[in-house]
Amino acid sequence: MRENLYPSFGILLIDDEASFLRSFSLLLEMTVGINHVYTCDDSRQAMDLIEKNDIGLVLLDVNMPYLSGELLLSAIVERHPDINVIMLSGLNQLETAMDCIRLGAFDYFVKTTDQVRLVDGIKRAIKMQEMRLENQEMRRLFFSGALQNPEAFEDIVTQDKSMKLVFQYIESISKNNRHVLITGESGTGKEAIAQVIHNLSGRKAPLICMNVAGLDDTLFSDTLFGHHRGAFSGADKARLGMIEQANGGTLFLDEIGDLSLSSQVKLLRLLQEGEYYPLGSDTPKRVNARIIVATHQDLEAKQMDGSFRRDLYYRLCMHQVELPPLRKRLADIPLLLEFFLEKAADELEVNKPTAPKELAVLLQNYSFPGNVRELQALCFDAVSRHRGGVLSMSVFKRACESADTKIAVSENQTSSLYPNDLPLPTLQESAELLVDEAMRRANGNQSIASRLLGISQPALSKRLKSRTTPS
C-alpha cells in the first residue's frame, strides 16, 4: 500500500481508452500530487470498484460501450449521493452537459480543451469533498464528546473544556492535507499542538520545525528551499531545504507573523503553486509536505497596518487552532504544577518536593504572561533551589510580585462595572465587595487575598474581624 496518499479518499477514472487513463493518472500525480487514483476501462465494473473502495470523486467519460456515462452517473448519484462526479467528453455537447448537470454531476469538461481548467475543476471538487468530510467528522466528534485517539494528547496536561474542544477539532482536521494556522500567546504550546497534528496525520516522514523570526529574505529562501552547489558565493556544496527535508511529512513554520513582506510573497507562491525552486535551479520541485504555521501575533491587526499580506492569511487560515492562555485555564494550574514539579525532580534526580496547599491558589491569581512555559520554568527553578521539607514559595512569590498580576479586562467587556440605571454603591459597600471577591479568589487564604488587594495581611485581618465585632 502506498504511503501519503492524496487525497485521503480515492479518485476513480472511468474511460474505455486505457491510454487516456494512464496518461491522465500520470498528469494528476506530476502536476498536483494526486496519487490516490483508481482506473476502470470497463463501465460494467465501475459500481463494484466504488463499493469496494473509499471513493470520493469520479471522473466519468460520457461516451462508453456497455454502460453510457449518463446511465452510470444516475446509478452513482442514486446509490452514492456523497460522491462528486465530473463528466468528461471528447466533444463540446452543450445539451449533454446540461443533462449531466441536471442528473447531479458536479461539473462537465471537454477532454480536448485546456487541461489546466480540468485540473482546476478536479482540485475544486477535492476541496468540496474534503470540507464535507471534515464537517461530517466534526459533527460526529462534537456530538460524541469523546476523543478517538486520546493517547495522542497524553503529553498535554489539561482538564479544561476549551482545550478538549481544541483536541476534538484537531482530530477532525488531522487527516487532510490543508494548511493549519495555530495562534496563541507565547508559551501556550503551539509546537506541541503541531506535533500532535502531525502524529495524527499518519505521515511517515518526520515533523520538521523552522523558526522564521529574524530571518532576512535571502536566509529564509535558502533555509526553506535549499540551494544547488555554486548558487551563490560560498555555496561549495548543495543543501537540502527544510521543505524537502519534510518531504512526506509536515513542515512547521513558527513565528510566521515576523516574516518579511518579500518572504511572504515566496511563501504564498509555494502554497498556491505547490512547487518551489531551490536557489540556483531552473527545475521546479513539487511540495509533498503538509504546512503548519504558528504565531503569537494578531495577524488581522497586521493586515490592517500592511505588515502581513491578506492573500497569504487566507491561504493559511483554512484551518485555525486558537490556544487559550493559561490564565483562562485556571483548573489546569494545579495539574500542571504537580506535573512540572515531578518532571523537574526526575530530570534533576531528586525527590519530588511537596508543594504547600496555598501555592496553587497563589498561581491561580497570577496572570502568567509566559503561560505554560513560564510555569514550567518556575517549577524547575524552585526544585533546583529546594533543600528539604515543604517546597518554598519564594520563587513563585517573586514572580507574582515582579509582574502586573492584575488580569486585564477582556477587550469585549466594554460595559461599565456600574450600570447607569442603578445607584452607585457607597465607598464602604464597594470596599466590602472587593474584600469578598479577593477572599473568594484566594480560596479563603488571607495572605494571598491581601496580596491581591495590595494591603498587608494584618490590615485585611483587622477589616475581616471588624465585620464580626459588634459596634
Side-chain angles (χ1 to χ4, degrees):
M1 184 68 178
R2 291 171 295 176
E3 298 176 352
N4 300 324
L5 294 175
Y6 173 72
S8 59
F9 51 84
I11 297 178
L12 176 61
L13 310 184
I14 307 173
D15 195 297
D16 60 305
E17 296 180 22
S19 59
F20 172 78
L21 294 175
R22 287 192 299 271
S23 62
F24 197 70
S25 298
L26 184 62
L27 173 71
L28 291 177
E29 184 164 7
M30 295 298 293
T31 57
V32 284
I34 295 173
N35 60 356
H36 197 175
V37 176
Y38 301 86
T39 60
C40 175
D41 59 7
D42 187 335
S43 58
R44 294 171 298 182
Q45 300 172 1
M47 294 306 295
D48 190 46
L49 281 170
I50 293 173
E51 297 287 349
K52 292 181 178 179
N53 298 282
D54 180 22
I55 303 297
L57 174 62
V58 172
L59 273 66
L60 177 58
D61 187 26
V62 173
N63 299 304
M64 293 184 296
Y66 310 119
L67 291 175
S68 71
E70 291 183 61
L71 286 175
L72 198 49
L73 169 63
S74 297
I76 295 172
V77 169
E78 181 181 354
R79 292 164 60 179
H80 303 279
D82 290 335
I83 294 178
N84 289 335
V85 182
I86 293 178
M87 304 301 295
L88 302 177
S89 175
L91 301 173
N92 190 355
Q93 300 167 306
L94 179 59
E95 186 176 348
T96 301
M98 295 301 295
D99 288 341
C100 289
I101 297 298
R102 281 194 292 268
L103 286 171
F106 179 83
D107 215 334
Y108 183 100
F109 290 96
V110 180
K111 293 181 187 178
T112 55
T113 58
D114 186 4
Q115 287 187 329
V116 173
R117 290 181 57 209
L118 174 54
V119 171
D120 285 344
I122 293 171
K123 289 163 66 176
R124 284 196 302 273
I126 290 173
K127 287 181 180 179
M128 290 288 290
Q129 191 68 291
E130 286 179 338
M131 288 176 62
R132 185 190 67 79
L133 293 173
E134 288 162 20
N135 290 335
Q136 187 180 70
E137 180 66 7
M138 279 190 284
R139 285 196 301 271
R140 185 184 66 80
L141 289 172
F142 287 145
F143 283 125
S144 70
L147 294 173
Q148 300 299 304
N149 302 278
E151 68 282 355
F153 304 92
E154 59 186 8
D155 291 335
I156 302 177
V157 179
T158 185
Q159 61 181 6
D160 184 73
K161 290 183 179 179
S162 63
M163 287 296 290
K164 295 298 178 65
L165 290 175
V166 168
F167 293 170
Q168 289 178 336
Y169 179 67
I170 287 172
E171 278 198 328
S172 69
I173 66 172
S174 60
K175 295 295 184 182
N176 68 65
N177 293 311
R178 294 207 274 176
H179 319 306
V180 182
L181 169 63
I182 306 174
T183 59
E185 297 178 8
S186 295
T188 49
K190 296 186 286 294
E191 186 171 341
I193 291 297
Q195 183 68 62
V196 170
I197 295 172
H198 170 71
N199 292 344
L200 287 172
S201 72
R203 289 176 169 267
K204 303 302 181 183
L207 172 76
I208 301 297
C209 301
M210 175 180 171
N211 191 315
V212 303
L215 298 183
D216 61 26
D217 186 51
T218 301
L219 187 55
F220 171 76
S221 299
D222 187 30
T223 306
L224 183 61
F225 304 130
H227 63 253
H228 281 194
R229 181 181 178 184
F232 50 83
S233 178
D236 54 349
K237 60 180 180 180
R239 174 188 179 184
L240 289 180
M242 292 289 195
I243 188 67
E244 191 163 355
Q245 293 179 43
N247 188 50
T250 305
L251 177 66
F252 175 57
L253 301 179
D254 201 3
E255 303 298 351
I256 199 70
D258 294 322
L259 199 61
S260 68
L261 285 171
S262 54
S263 295
Q264 288 177 34
V265 173
K266 294 179 179 178
L267 179 58
L268 176 63
R269 186 183 184 282
L270 177 73
L271 300 179
Q272 285 180 332
E273 306 299 329
E275 63 182 27
Y276 63 97
Y277 292 83
L279 300 184
S281 172
D282 295 328
T283 304
K285 291 188 174 184
R286 294 293 310 168
V287 176
N288 185 24
R290 188 181 196 176
I291 297 177
I292 301 175
V293 302
T295 182
H296 70 278
Q297 300 195 42
D298 185 346
L299 293 188
E300 292 188 5
K302 290 181 72 69
Q303 291 176 64
M304 297 297 292
D305 64 25
S307 59
F308 200 86
R309 292 180 63 98
R310 190 177 298 274
D311 47 3
L312 176 58
Y313 173 75
Y314 290 138
R315 284 281 176 180
L316 293 174
C317 69
M318 292 180 176
H319 295 308
Q320 184 167 353
V321 177
E322 184 174 1
L323 299 181
L326 185 55
R327 62 180 173 273
K328 293 186 178 180
R329 297 167 49 191
L330 296 182
D332 283 346
I333 289 179
L335 294 176
L336 289 165
L337 176 62
E338 289 300 313
F339 175 77
F340 287 135
L341 289 177
E342 184 171 353
K343 184 176 181 181
D346 288 342
E347 292 191 17
L348 296 172
E349 298 182 346
V350 298
N351 292 328
K352 176 180 171 292
T354 301
K357 293 181 180 179
E358 62 268 28
L359 178 55
V361 179
L362 172 70
L363 296 178
Q364 286 175 325
N365 287 281
Y366 176 49
S367 61
F368 276 105
N371 291 291
V372 178
R373 187 184 297 135
E374 181 183 7
L375 177 57
Q376 180 178 5
L378 291 174
C379 289
F380 271 71
D381 189 15
V383 172
S384 67
R385 297 171 184 269
H386 181 63
R387 293 297 178 267
V390 177
L391 181 70
S392 171
M393 292 175 55
S394 59
V395 169
F396 304 96
K397 286 181 177 179
R398 191 162 54 247
C400 295
E401 290 169 354
S402 63
D404 179 11
T405 61
K406 295 179 181 178
I407 300 177
V409 178
S410 63
E411 294 179 3
N412 60 359
Q413 188 177 343
T414 57
S415 59
S416 170
L417 292 174
Y418 304 104
N420 293 332
D421 57 345
L422 295 177
L424 282 172
T426 65
L427 192 59
Q428 177 64 29
E429 289 170 339
S430 293
E432 295 298 325
L433 290 171
L434 191 58
V435 168
D436 289 341
E437 178 62 17
M439 289 296 290
R440 184 191 67 78
R441 293 190 182 194
N443 199 25
N445 186 294
Q446 291 187 25
S447 176
I448 296 173
S450 63
R451 187 187 305 275
L452 295 174
L453 292 168
I455 61 177
S456 67
Q457 183 176 348
L460 174 60
S461 180
K462 182 178 179 180
R463 180 178 289 276
L464 291 171
K465 286 181 180 178
S466 68
R467 293 182 174 185
T468 59
T469 303
S471 57

